[in-house]
Amino acid sequence: PEGLRIRTVHSFSESLLGRFPVEARLAPHFSVIDERRAAEIRTQARDRILAHERDRPARVSKALSHLAGLVDEERFAHLMRELDSQRRRLRHLMETPDGVDAMIARTRRALGLGQGDTTDTILSAAADARAFDAQALKAAVEVLQGGSKSDQARAAAIGGWLALEAAERAVRLEKTYGPIFATQKGEPRAEKGLITKKPKEAHPEALAALLDEQDRVMAVLGRLKAAAMVEATDSLLVVGTALIGAYEAIKTTRALLDYDDLIEKAEDLLATEGGTSWVHYKLDGGIDHILVDEAQDTSPAQWNIISRLAGDF
Protein backbone atom coordinates (compact mmCIF):
# COMPACT_ATOMS: atom_id res chain seq x y z
CA PRO A 1 0.00 0.00 0.00
CA GLU A 2 2.81 2.41 0.76
CA GLY A 3 4.88 1.39 -2.24
CA LEU A 4 8.41 0.04 -2.18
CA ARG A 5 11.04 1.88 -0.15
CA ILE A 6 14.46 0.84 -1.40
CA ARG A 7 17.61 2.08 0.28
CA THR A 8 21.25 1.59 -0.53
CA VAL A 9 23.44 -0.02 2.10
CA HIS A 10 24.90 3.40 2.96
CA SER A 11 21.47 4.98 3.29
CA PHE A 12 20.27 2.08 5.42
CA SER A 13 23.36 2.35 7.62
CA GLU A 14 22.84 6.09 8.12
CA SER A 15 19.21 5.51 9.10
CA LEU A 16 20.18 2.67 11.44
CA LEU A 17 22.80 4.74 13.23
CA GLY A 18 20.36 7.66 13.47
CA ARG A 19 17.89 5.42 15.29
CA PHE A 20 20.48 3.91 17.65
CA PRO A 21 23.27 6.49 18.12
CA VAL A 22 23.87 5.67 21.79
CA GLU A 23 24.22 1.95 21.10
CA ALA A 24 26.59 2.79 18.26
CA ARG A 25 28.56 5.11 20.58
CA LEU A 26 27.94 8.15 18.40
CA ALA A 27 26.89 11.72 19.06
CA PRO A 28 23.11 11.85 18.36
CA HIS A 29 23.58 14.94 16.20
CA PHE A 30 26.19 13.39 13.89
CA SER A 31 26.36 14.46 10.25
CA VAL A 32 27.45 12.51 7.18
CA ILE A 33 30.02 14.04 4.87
CA ASP A 34 30.53 13.27 1.20
CA GLU A 35 33.84 12.25 -0.35
CA ARG A 36 34.73 15.83 -1.33
CA ARG A 37 34.32 17.04 2.25
CA ALA A 38 36.20 14.00 3.55
CA ALA A 39 39.09 14.83 1.22
CA GLU A 40 39.15 18.40 2.56
CA ILE A 41 39.33 17.13 6.14
CA ARG A 42 42.14 14.71 5.23
CA THR A 43 44.03 17.67 3.81
CA GLN A 44 43.44 19.59 7.06
CA ALA A 45 44.76 16.62 9.03
CA ARG A 46 47.85 16.43 6.82
CA ASP A 47 48.50 20.17 7.11
CA ARG A 48 48.02 20.01 10.88
CA ILE A 49 50.80 17.44 11.21
CA LEU A 50 53.11 19.06 8.66
CA ALA A 51 52.70 22.57 10.07
CA HIS A 52 53.00 21.87 13.81
CA GLU A 53 56.52 20.54 13.93
CA ARG A 54 56.98 21.23 17.63
CA ASP A 55 53.87 19.30 18.59
CA ARG A 56 54.48 16.13 16.62
CA PRO A 57 56.47 13.20 18.04
CA ALA A 58 60.11 12.87 17.06
CA ARG A 59 59.39 9.54 15.37
CA VAL A 60 56.82 11.16 13.09
CA SER A 61 59.27 13.94 12.17
CA LYS A 62 61.96 11.38 11.36
CA ALA A 63 59.52 9.37 9.26
CA LEU A 64 58.41 12.48 7.35
CA SER A 65 62.02 13.36 6.56
CA HIS A 66 62.64 9.82 5.32
CA LEU A 67 59.57 9.83 3.07
CA ALA A 68 60.48 13.27 1.71
CA GLY A 69 63.62 11.72 0.26
CA LEU A 70 61.67 8.94 -1.45
CA VAL A 71 58.54 10.51 -2.98
CA ASP A 72 57.36 13.87 -4.28
CA GLU A 73 54.36 15.78 -2.95
CA GLU A 74 51.90 14.26 -5.43
CA ARG A 75 53.03 10.70 -4.70
CA PHE A 76 52.93 11.41 -0.96
CA ALA A 77 49.32 12.58 -1.22
CA HIS A 78 48.45 9.44 -3.20
CA LEU A 79 50.03 7.22 -0.56
CA MET A 80 48.08 8.95 2.20
CA ARG A 81 44.82 8.47 0.28
CA GLU A 82 45.68 4.81 -0.19
CA LEU A 83 46.36 4.34 3.51
CA ASP A 84 43.19 6.16 4.42
CA SER A 85 41.10 3.97 2.13
CA GLN A 86 42.47 0.94 3.97
CA ARG A 87 42.42 2.50 7.42
CA ARG A 88 40.08 -0.13 8.85
CA ARG A 89 42.40 -2.96 7.88
CA LEU A 90 45.36 -0.93 9.07
CA ARG A 91 43.71 -0.25 12.40
CA HIS A 92 43.00 -3.95 12.89
CA LEU A 93 46.61 -4.78 12.10
CA MET A 94 47.69 -2.12 14.55
CA GLU A 95 45.57 -3.53 17.40
CA THR A 96 48.54 -5.24 19.00
CA PRO A 97 50.50 -4.24 22.11
CA ASP A 98 53.39 -2.83 20.05
CA GLY A 99 51.44 -1.35 17.12
CA VAL A 100 53.76 -0.26 14.30
CA ASP A 101 56.73 -2.00 15.92
CA ALA A 102 54.96 -5.36 15.86
CA MET A 103 54.07 -4.92 12.18
CA ILE A 104 57.63 -3.96 11.28
CA ALA A 105 58.98 -6.95 13.22
CA ARG A 106 56.74 -9.23 11.14
CA THR A 107 57.88 -7.49 7.96
CA ARG A 108 61.51 -8.02 8.94
CA ARG A 109 60.94 -11.71 9.50
CA ALA A 110 59.14 -12.05 6.17
CA LEU A 111 62.10 -10.43 4.38
CA GLY A 112 64.70 -12.48 6.23
CA LEU A 113 66.14 -9.60 8.23
CA GLY A 114 67.18 -9.60 11.87
CA GLN A 115 65.83 -7.12 14.38
CA GLY A 116 68.99 -5.00 14.28
CA ASP A 117 69.60 -5.15 10.52
CA THR A 118 69.63 -1.70 8.94
CA THR A 119 71.16 -0.25 5.79
CA ASP A 120 74.16 0.95 7.79
CA THR A 121 74.77 -2.32 9.64
CA ILE A 122 74.46 -4.38 6.44
CA LEU A 123 76.93 -2.12 4.60
CA SER A 124 79.33 -2.10 7.53
CA ALA A 125 79.33 -5.89 7.80
CA ALA A 126 79.75 -6.32 4.04
CA ALA A 127 82.72 -3.93 3.92
CA ASP A 128 84.55 -5.62 6.79
CA ALA A 129 87.78 -7.26 5.65
CA ARG A 130 86.63 -10.57 7.11
CA ALA A 131 83.56 -10.64 4.87
CA PHE A 132 85.43 -11.31 1.59
CA ASP A 133 88.54 -13.08 0.29
CA ALA A 134 90.87 -10.15 -0.23
CA GLN A 135 93.79 -12.30 -1.38
CA ALA A 136 91.79 -14.05 -4.08
CA LEU A 137 90.39 -10.73 -5.28
CA LYS A 138 93.82 -9.11 -5.41
CA ALA A 139 95.08 -12.03 -7.47
CA ALA A 140 92.09 -11.60 -9.80
CA VAL A 141 92.89 -7.89 -10.09
CA GLU A 142 96.43 -8.74 -11.25
CA VAL A 143 95.01 -11.04 -13.91
CA LEU A 144 92.53 -8.38 -15.07
CA GLN A 145 95.32 -5.83 -15.37
CA GLY A 146 96.86 -7.97 -18.12
CA GLY A 147 93.61 -8.21 -20.08
CA SER A 148 91.65 -5.89 -22.33
CA LYS A 149 90.73 -2.28 -21.60
CA SER A 150 87.45 -3.38 -20.02
CA ASP A 151 89.35 -5.87 -17.84
CA GLN A 152 91.78 -3.15 -16.80
CA ALA A 153 88.89 -0.83 -15.92
CA ARG A 154 87.39 -3.55 -13.70
CA ALA A 155 90.78 -4.16 -12.14
CA ALA A 156 91.10 -0.48 -11.25
CA ALA A 157 87.59 -0.39 -9.78
CA ILE A 158 87.98 -3.56 -7.70
CA GLY A 159 91.54 -2.75 -6.64
CA GLY A 160 90.55 0.79 -5.71
CA TRP A 161 87.72 -0.48 -3.51
CA LEU A 162 89.95 -3.04 -1.80
CA ALA A 163 92.51 -0.34 -0.99
CA LEU A 164 89.99 1.80 0.90
CA GLU A 165 89.41 1.82 4.64
CA ALA A 166 86.45 -0.27 5.80
CA ALA A 167 84.27 2.79 6.49
CA GLU A 168 84.86 4.17 3.00
CA ARG A 169 84.27 0.75 1.45
CA ALA A 170 80.87 0.70 3.16
CA VAL A 171 80.00 4.11 1.70
CA ARG A 172 80.89 3.07 -1.84
CA LEU A 173 79.70 -0.53 -1.82
CA GLU A 174 76.19 -0.06 -3.13
CA LYS A 175 76.70 2.73 -5.67
CA THR A 176 80.27 2.14 -6.89
CA TYR A 177 81.35 -1.41 -6.10
CA GLY A 178 78.00 -3.16 -6.62
CA PRO A 179 77.63 -2.16 -10.31
CA ILE A 180 80.85 -4.03 -11.11
CA PHE A 181 78.97 -7.28 -10.47
CA ALA A 182 75.32 -6.31 -11.07
CA THR A 183 73.50 -4.76 -14.03
CA GLN A 184 71.29 -1.68 -13.81
CA LYS A 185 68.31 -4.03 -13.50
CA GLY A 186 69.87 -5.60 -10.43
CA GLU A 187 70.74 -8.87 -12.17
CA PRO A 188 74.14 -10.63 -11.95
CA ARG A 189 76.47 -9.77 -14.80
CA ALA A 190 77.36 -12.60 -17.17
CA GLU A 191 80.88 -14.04 -17.00
CA LYS A 192 81.95 -11.96 -19.98
CA GLY A 193 80.92 -8.89 -18.00
CA LEU A 194 83.38 -9.83 -15.27
CA ILE A 195 86.38 -11.02 -17.28
CA THR A 196 87.07 -11.44 -20.99
CA LYS A 197 87.72 -14.78 -22.67
CA LYS A 198 91.51 -14.74 -22.89
CA PRO A 199 92.40 -14.08 -19.22
CA LYS A 200 89.47 -16.28 -18.13
CA GLU A 201 90.85 -19.29 -20.01
CA ALA A 202 94.39 -18.61 -18.84
CA HIS A 203 93.41 -18.06 -15.19
CA PRO A 204 90.19 -19.91 -14.26
CA GLU A 205 90.91 -19.22 -10.59
CA ALA A 206 90.42 -15.49 -11.28
CA LEU A 207 86.95 -16.15 -12.68
CA ALA A 208 86.14 -18.33 -9.65
CA ALA A 209 87.17 -15.52 -7.28
CA LEU A 210 85.08 -12.99 -9.20
CA LEU A 211 82.04 -15.28 -9.24
CA ASP A 212 82.32 -15.89 -5.50
CA GLU A 213 82.47 -12.15 -4.89
CA GLN A 214 79.55 -11.61 -7.25
CA ASP A 215 77.43 -14.06 -5.25
CA ARG A 216 78.35 -12.24 -2.05
CA VAL A 217 77.66 -8.78 -3.47
CA MET A 218 74.30 -9.85 -4.93
CA ALA A 219 73.26 -11.21 -1.53
CA VAL A 220 74.29 -7.94 0.11
CA LEU A 221 72.38 -5.88 -2.46
CA GLY A 222 69.31 -8.02 -1.85
CA ARG A 223 69.54 -7.44 1.88
CA LEU A 224 69.96 -3.71 1.28
CA LYS A 225 66.77 -3.68 -0.78
CA ALA A 226 64.96 -5.53 2.00
CA ALA A 227 66.26 -3.06 4.60
CA ALA A 228 65.21 -0.11 2.44
CA MET A 229 61.75 -1.65 2.11
CA VAL A 230 61.46 -2.10 5.87
CA GLU A 231 62.62 1.46 6.57
CA ALA A 232 60.21 2.92 4.00
CA THR A 233 57.35 0.79 5.34
CA ASP A 234 58.11 1.89 8.88
CA SER A 235 58.07 5.56 7.87
CA LEU A 236 54.89 5.15 5.84
CA LEU A 237 53.05 3.43 8.68
CA VAL A 238 54.21 5.95 11.29
CA VAL A 239 53.12 8.92 9.17
CA GLY A 240 50.01 7.17 7.92
CA THR A 241 48.74 6.26 11.37
CA ALA A 242 49.47 9.79 12.59
CA LEU A 243 47.48 11.28 9.71
CA ILE A 244 44.61 8.83 10.14
CA GLY A 245 44.57 9.65 13.86
CA ALA A 246 44.40 13.38 13.11
CA TYR A 247 41.66 12.80 10.53
CA GLU A 248 39.61 10.75 13.00
CA ALA A 249 40.12 13.36 15.72
CA ILE A 250 38.79 16.15 13.50
CA LYS A 251 35.73 14.11 12.59
CA THR A 252 35.06 13.16 16.21
CA THR A 253 35.22 16.74 17.50
CA ARG A 254 32.80 17.84 14.76
CA ALA A 255 30.51 14.75 15.06
CA LEU A 256 31.11 13.79 11.43
CA LEU A 257 30.98 10.41 9.71
CA ASP A 258 32.20 9.55 6.24
CA TYR A 259 30.81 6.78 4.04
CA ASP A 260 33.26 4.20 5.37
CA ASP A 261 32.31 5.10 8.94
CA LEU A 262 28.65 4.41 8.14
CA ILE A 263 29.42 0.87 7.06
CA GLU A 264 31.84 0.18 9.89
CA LYS A 265 29.59 1.54 12.65
CA ALA A 266 26.51 -0.24 11.25
CA GLU A 267 28.43 -3.51 11.00
CA ASP A 268 29.56 -3.23 14.62
CA LEU A 269 26.05 -2.35 15.78
CA LEU A 270 24.52 -5.40 14.10
CA ALA A 271 27.10 -7.78 15.55
CA THR A 272 25.11 -10.18 17.73
CA GLU A 273 28.12 -10.72 19.95
CA GLY A 274 27.97 -7.04 20.82
CA GLY A 275 24.91 -7.54 23.09
CA THR A 276 22.60 -5.46 20.85
CA SER A 277 20.37 -8.26 19.58
CA TRP A 278 17.37 -6.15 20.53
CA VAL A 279 18.40 -3.78 17.72
CA HIS A 280 17.58 -6.63 15.36
CA TYR A 281 14.25 -7.07 17.12
CA LYS A 282 13.42 -3.39 16.58
CA LEU A 283 14.28 -3.73 12.90
CA ASP A 284 12.32 -6.93 12.39
CA GLY A 285 9.06 -5.33 11.31
CA GLY A 286 10.66 -2.83 8.95
CA ILE A 287 12.58 -5.03 6.54
CA ASP A 288 10.80 -7.45 4.19
CA HIS A 289 13.47 -8.12 1.58
CA ILE A 290 17.17 -7.68 0.92
CA LEU A 291 17.88 -6.86 -2.70
CA VAL A 292 21.46 -7.65 -3.63
CA ASP A 293 22.49 -5.65 -6.65
CA GLU A 294 26.07 -5.24 -7.87
CA ALA A 295 26.91 -8.54 -6.21
CA GLN A 296 30.49 -8.23 -7.42
CA ASP A 297 31.13 -5.80 -4.54
CA THR A 298 34.16 -7.04 -2.64
CA SER A 299 33.64 -5.11 0.59
CA PRO A 300 33.60 -7.67 3.43
CA ALA A 301 32.07 -5.10 5.79
CA GLN A 302 29.05 -4.56 3.50
CA TRP A 303 28.55 -8.30 3.10
CA ASN A 304 28.68 -8.65 6.90
CA ILE A 305 25.79 -6.19 7.23
CA ILE A 306 23.77 -8.17 4.69
CA SER A 307 24.62 -11.48 6.39
CA ARG A 308 23.61 -10.24 9.82
CA LEU A 309 20.29 -8.94 8.53
CA ALA A 310 19.62 -12.10 6.52
CA GLY A 311 20.45 -14.21 9.57
CA ASP A 312 17.30 -12.94 11.26
CA PHE A 313 15.18 -14.05 8.33
Side-chain angles (χ1 to χ4, degrees), residues 10 13-14 17 26 30-39 41-42 84-85 87 91 244 247-248 251-252 255-265:
H10 286 91
S13 298
E14 182 178 355
L17 297 174
L26 296 172
F30 74 83
S31 301
V32 179
I33 56 176
D34 59 19
E35 186 53 40
R36 182 186 62 81
R37 180 64 178 138
I41 295 177
R42 283 195 294 268
D84 180 70
S85 69
R87 67 182 183 279
R91 189 160 61 245
I244 290 172
Y247 173 62
E248 296 291 344
K251 287 193 302 176
T252 300
L256 301 175
L257 297 179
D258 61 22
Y259 291 148
D260 290 337
D261 293 328
L262 291 176
I263 300 299
E264 180 178 349
K265 300 296 185 183

Side-chain angles (χ1 to χ4, degrees), residues 167-230:
E168 189 62 26
R169 283 200 298 266
V171 171
R172 300 191 184 187
L173 191 147
E174 186 175 13
K175 301 297 184 183
T176 304
Y177 190 62
I180 300 173
F181 301 95
T183 66
Q184 289 184 343
K185 294 183 179 180
E187 299 172 349
R189 291 191 183 279
E191 289 184 6
K192 63 181 180 180
L194 299 177
I195 185 172
T196 55
K197 184 177 180 180
K198 187 175 180 180
K200 177 180 72 172
E201 292 177 346
H203 302 277
E205 73 283 357
L207 173 62
L210 292 172
L211 288 175
D212 287 344
E213 181 66 354
Q214 183 181 54
D215 290 342
R216 186 186 79 90
V217 169
M218 294 305 300
V220 170
L221 294 178
R223 288 175 62 79
L224 287 173
K225 287 181 180 179
M229 189 181 297
V230 167

Side-chain angles (χ1 to χ4, degrees), residues 140-162:
V141 167
E142 292 181 4
V143 172
L144 289 171
Q145 288 173 339
S148 66
K149 288 185 177 180
S150 60
D151 288 324
Q152 293 171 12
R154 281 188 287 273
I158 296 172
W161 187 81
L162 292 172

Side-chain angles (χ1 to χ4, degrees), residues 264-277:
E264 180 178 349
K265 300 296 185 183
E267 180 191 8
D268 292 341
L269 182 61
L270 291 173
T272 54
E273 62 270 21
T276 55
S277 57

Side-chain angles (χ1 to χ4, degrees), residues 30-102:
F30 74 83
S31 301
V32 179
I33 56 176
D34 59 19
E35 186 53 40
R36 182 186 62 81
R37 180 64 178 138
E40 291 175 354
I41 295 177
R42 283 195 294 268
T43 301
Q44 293 175 21
R46 183 197 65 187
D47 293 344
R48 177 178 295 184
I49 289 180
L50 294 177
H52 298 83
E53 184 174 356
R54 294 181 180 179
D55 298 332
R56 64 180 181 235
R59 188 174 184 182
V60 176
S61 295
K62 181 180 178 182
L64 279 170
S65 297
H66 184 68
L67 287 178
L70 299 177
V71 296
D72 58 21
E73 184 178 359
E74 181 179 350
R75 179 63 177 162
F76 177 78
H78 172 75
L79 288 172
M80 292 305 101
R81 287 194 300 270
E82 191 73 17
L83 275 177
D84 180 70
S85 69
Q86 300 293 333
R87 67 182 183 279
R88 188 164 187 260
R89 293 177 61 195
L90 180 61
R91 189 160 61 245
H92 287 171
L93 286 171
M94 297 295 294
E95 289 175 351
T96 59
D98 297 325
V100 170
D101 293 331

